[in-house]
Amino acid sequence: MRIICTILIVLVFTACQKENHESSGSGHPNLILTEKGVSSMRASLGSVPLFDKTVEAVQREVDEEIDAGIDVPIPKDLAGGYTHEKHKSNFFIMQKAGVLFQITKDERYAIYIRDMLLEYAELFPTLDKHPATRSYARGKLFWQCLNDANWLVYTAQAYDCIYGWLDNETIEKLNTELFRPYADYISLENPRFFNRLHNHSTWGNAGVGMIGLVMNDEELIDRALYAFDIEGDSSLMDNDGGSLNLKGYKEGGFLAQIDHSFSPDGYYTEGPYYQRYAMYPFLIFAQGLANKKPELEILEYRNGLLIKAVNALINQTNSQGEFFPINDAQKGMSLASRELISAVSMAYHFGGNNAGLLSIVQEQGRVPLNDSGLAAAKAIADGKAEDFIYESVELSDGAAGDEGAIGIIRADDLTLVMKYAKHGMGHGHFDRLGFLLYDDQGEVIQDYGAARWVNIEHKDGGGYLKENHTWAKETVAHNTLVVNKDSHFDHDVKLADESAGTPYYFSSGAGIQIVSAKELNAYEGINMHRTMAVLDIEELEKPLVIDLFSVQAHEETRYDLPLYYLGDFMSTNQEFQSNNDLSPMGENDGYQHLWQEAQSNLVGEVFRFTWFNKNRFFTMTSAVRTGDQALLTRIGANDPNFNLRRDPGLIFRRTGGNTVFATVYEMHGSYNYTTEIPLNLFTSIEDLEVLYESEKYNVIKFELKSGEQYQFAFSLNNDDSSSNHNIAVGDTNLAWTGVYDFKKINN
Amino acid sequence: MRIICTILIVLVFTACQKENHESSGSGHPNLILTEKGVSSMRASLGSVPLFDKTVEAVQREVDEEIDAGIDVPIPKDLAGGYTHEKHKSNFFIMQKAGVLFQITKDERYAIYIRDMLLEYAELFPTLDKHPATRSYARGKLFWQCLNDANWLVYTAQAYDCIYGWLDNETIEKLNTELFRPYADYISLENPRFFNRLHNHSTWGNAGVGMIGLVMNDEELIDRALYAFDIEGDSSLMDNDGGSLNLKGYKEGGFLAQIDHSFSPDGYYTEGPYYQRYAMYPFLIFAQGLANKKPELEILEYRNGLLIKAVNALINQTNSQGEFFPINDAQKGMSLASRELISAVSMAYHFGGNNAGLLSIVQEQGRVPLNDSGLAAAKAIADGKAEDFIYESVELSDGAAGDEGAIGIIRADDLTLVMKYAKHGMGHGHFDRLGFLLYDDQGEVIQDYGAARWVNIEHKDGGGYLKENHTWAKETVAHNTLVVNKDSHFDHDVKLADESAGTPYYFSSGAGIQIVSAKELNAYEGINMHRTMAVLDIEELEKPLVIDLFSVQAHEETRYDLPLYYLGDFMSTNQEFQSNNDLSPMGENDGYQHLWQEAQSNLVGEVFRFTWFNKNRFFTMTSAVRTGDQALLTRIGANDPNFNLRRDPGLIFRRTGGNTVFATVYEMHGSYNYTTEIPLNLFTSIEDLEVLYESEKYNVIKFELKSGEQYQFAFSLNNDDSSSNHNIAVGDTNLAWTGVYDFKKINN
């Protein structure tokens, strides 16, 4: 604490000292920082703890770099190598130094940036394309234009911070010898990078646009917003597998990215892991535009879509603030990331001061050093923070919001996610109608995520691993139906991109929440319809999850329904034969990576399976048909470099035609390792029965051990809330109104 | 906070109201609570936060039970069943109610205890032995006398608390119809339970002694302290595999338990998991004796051994306060356990007010409601708490301290444990010279622990699993040498119990700490000698661990040296062939539970193996000989009920005669999941070379990637600190004084 005070005193003192030595007549900073904002920040120093703490941390970091000296090496390496990492570090530090110069008025920071930029201005004209040839769009400082665009986005901010302090000669030199040619390089000379709809291009647009805003270069700004006309006929794929067809393409640029990247709910088709990465250029360029081109009303564009997108992102996290790892995603990425630290404060500041966002900012423990960050930190200091309320929500996919969705249900500590969105392009997984389940401690039923150790050189340089394609993307790696051992869409990205899942019903009513969707294209001639309901059952300690996976298909179809439970298998009511000699379960579609550790020919009415994870018990209860099997699997075969986690799985196997897989998941009990006392370690579900199934209806009944019986009926083809349904169930007639009927029934 | 205050006000008020209504002329309480202590507690109410907090929590718990009403069911069930758990809960609640009665003087608590005891007094005379026949010593309320003794230990405390409040008639009834017969039952009628040296008997001794102290029954006290004479010739095993030979046995009783259970350093041969359980009756009976029989000076017995034992227990924990899981032990048991909450405060109060213990009490978050607890809570409130310093320590085993030891080295965040103690009787594992390694986040190189889910009925009722014998106890399940695929001592407990490891050298000097021990009996004709050194190397971020496992054996011996690293295999410098078709690696000695996932015929000078766990990197570097192999294993074969964790292992395999396995373990770097930046992810060790090996000396040299070279020489047969050593290493002569020589050498 004493250290903080000392630093702040020095800051304030330095600030006062320098105030009159600098002219600010130029109007800069006016990109992300503003003159007014800077005055306010300086006035607030020492009185807003979270802001002060961030200033202190950033100052420590930048001072260390200044002490270490400037290095602008000749580009040579790929990501992970020295020159790549150095140029990357340079732009981060310059951006921070710029902010510190404005806040402290300490010229050391301005001098550091100027000197570094002059070195870049010397280097740039000497550079040909980067020597590494791996990218479809090679950069100058980096192996791919994407990173060059990152450099411009951050460096533009630094440049803006010292623009008013620089002499005209230096400005002229930097503008004409470094920035304008650099911006032209990543746009005009790399249309395949700049002129398409892709997160890479968003960075390109933002980089060009932001440096244009700093230099008041209307041509660059215009190019960033609207792209430029190009004629071409190349039909290439980029390195992510994204389409690069530029033929007749005239709709690029930043506004088009907003139009096409997000659904009206702010969902991003590649999923939250990539949305997090993609959001930064959207938001930072938007801040610059909001400051310098208010007439564009960029933050109101498409009903305030950019702020909505931040909220959508926040909603796609578990109790630890970690993003749902759907599609290609490394687990562990979270609201604590650099991008979200910037985004959440911005959403607070520009999005109507939602006090719930402040608790997330508190958790992040730092704020961006700009108007948004100061506003959030001040509000927190004023005690305005409230808990963020995570509500059940369906986020539509597709630019028009009509191409599938993901459904997120929150109930008590439970989070259920079902995915019936678009494929997600090159980073998509073949997982239509797949689901994830969390409790307050983390994953209960997991999505594998990507097979990748990002930036960890041990693992093939830190890039995507071969097993990402052969395992992580395959359908059998997900909690959804595999037909005849083939992945959805025959593992064809192009085919998968052409259609989306079909949302059927979503409701977040009190006591019962339902997500229901269809998938009609993943397998030819096969209609799949999954309905998951989260129910408050008064006799149970936690909400219960019903899972009805209804399929219409020809006879003799072989179904595998995997469940990637996390933790240790405890017990089952069925007899399993375990295998000591293991072989891969197949040749392709992911089965080549699975070993079959045990199997059971299921008998009786239900299959009950209890597992244990992090002090909690979980039980799956499934209705059994004659001939059903259950297989216990382990990931790891055909994995010569041990790239895959040896996680367990459970496959429910059935052969038949039209059918429904009926399951309930119960979260129950606990265990204490120091008292060694388990509580409620057995399931409360005694029985589960499918009372009726057709392509129109599913009706199930379940019974608790205490004797209570519940019945759930669902209409599969008519979601009208006023429609009347009437079906014969055994000897009795069941009638109800609306899409579902759920009730306790008398014995 | 408001709730706490309200409760305290009620407490104080109730206390004042009742104070004069009760006579305290009887001298009770005087067992664990004392009249003076109670006055002090009552006077402190409201001013000692940790004590108040505990009172509040206990009161909430007991009040709930009182509201639920008394149930004293007819005994029927085994552990986990209703009658067992109810009688167990009854004695815990009675003990707490007794304390609350003394603190609050609220008669509800006394009435509750009295009424329950009267129900027990009605039930007891009607009981034959417990109907379940699983135990060698069946109890009355419980299936084994052990639990009946637990009941007496806790109930004696409750009884003492209301003794002065009861009328003489009730006392007479309880003494003669319940307590004295019960005490006789578990002693005179069950000599095999009461009269041996075993943790079960300690409970028996304490139960009989404590109820004797309450009733002033000198005969019982005497019996508890010194056991009783018996003639017998039974030569049975108890249910733990412990010896039950009573022939000529006349040395039982509490004092003999102290004599034989602990080494002079306070180590308990079964290991800390069982020591934790065993400590409670030792300490609680000792408190009673200290209060009522101060002339015994029980807490000074054997140089204050009981308090030393608490300190030994605390020293056997990792950074999370969890006990080292050596021998049969469930991981997760920790300083937070009920027994340690009682023991740590007692060690503070009776053991010289070591302020370091207070930080542990703080971490525990509650105190025992007695003089010790009040003392600790007061000291904490007075700001006296200091961090507990975990020092490197060698804890001798055996009653005389001359039967092996465990060595614990602490350096920076690192904890290294090497085990060369006695076998540990029925709960021992065949793991001579095995080691465990921790960092501040937990296990780095793990001991499997026991194959058991304590009290979790899903897993064979929560008892020891078959796999505990077939896997967890076997040598190959540990980080130590397996010869010719056989476990130490041919998996013969009796044989193993006959000898101990041989401590050779232990030093905890600055910059270099060494533990070295021999094992001469585990394999006939084979001498094993392991030396582990923890070194501060200025160029490295963390201490480095050297591991020299020297063996003298005939040619063609097949060595397997397993390493149970925890986490994900990252990379290696050797070529591994992975296996898609897996079979068990053997038929017995634990190999039947292992699958071999990959193997490598090692080439070159060193075998380097890097893994990743919880954001950290770890690298093992081993010196390679021609013909060496490495195998990557996975636990799980022959495990039909999925009782075993699918953990990975690495086996270093060599065939030969006299040899040394030379390895260094480096903990390095980190990874951040939100910045996705790895630091220092490659080992700094370039090379490792065995310069000299014989049965007298090991000399190794290792080189860092930065070029520095270090040399470590160790004398295997002369640990005299003044002895001179002189050996030819290549062309040069190496001379040093003392057991080891470690130095940076010039290139």
Side-chain angles (χ1 to χ4, degrees), chain A residues 273 455 458 580 638 676 681, chain B residues 273 458 571 580 638 676 681:
Chain A
Y273 178 81
N455 295 331
H458 294 285
N580 289 321
N638 282 293
E676 296 184 332
L681 74 172
Chain B
Y273 177 81
H458 293 285
S571 71
N580 289 321
N638 282 292
E676 298 183 331
L681 74 173

Side-chain angles (χ1 to χ4, degrees), chain A residues 78-127:
Chain A
L78 287 167
Y82 176 75
T83 70
H84 180 101
E85 296 304 323
K86 190 66 202 171
H87 289 299
K88 189 169 159 187
S89 149
N90 280 349
F91 69 65
F92 281 129
I93 295 296
M94 277 197 284
Q95 187 268 338
K96 289 171 179 166
V99 172
L100 288 178
F101 170 61
Q102 286 297 335
I103 295 178
T104 68
K105 298 297 177 200
D106 184 340
E107 281 191 317
R108 285 189 307 126
Y109 299 116
I111 292 167
Y112 179 75
I113 296 167
R114 180 195 63 198
D115 291 353
M116 188 179 281
L117 288 179
L118 286 171
E119 290 207 28
Y120 275 110
E122 291 308 309
L123 178 66
F124 187 82
T126 70
L127 296 177

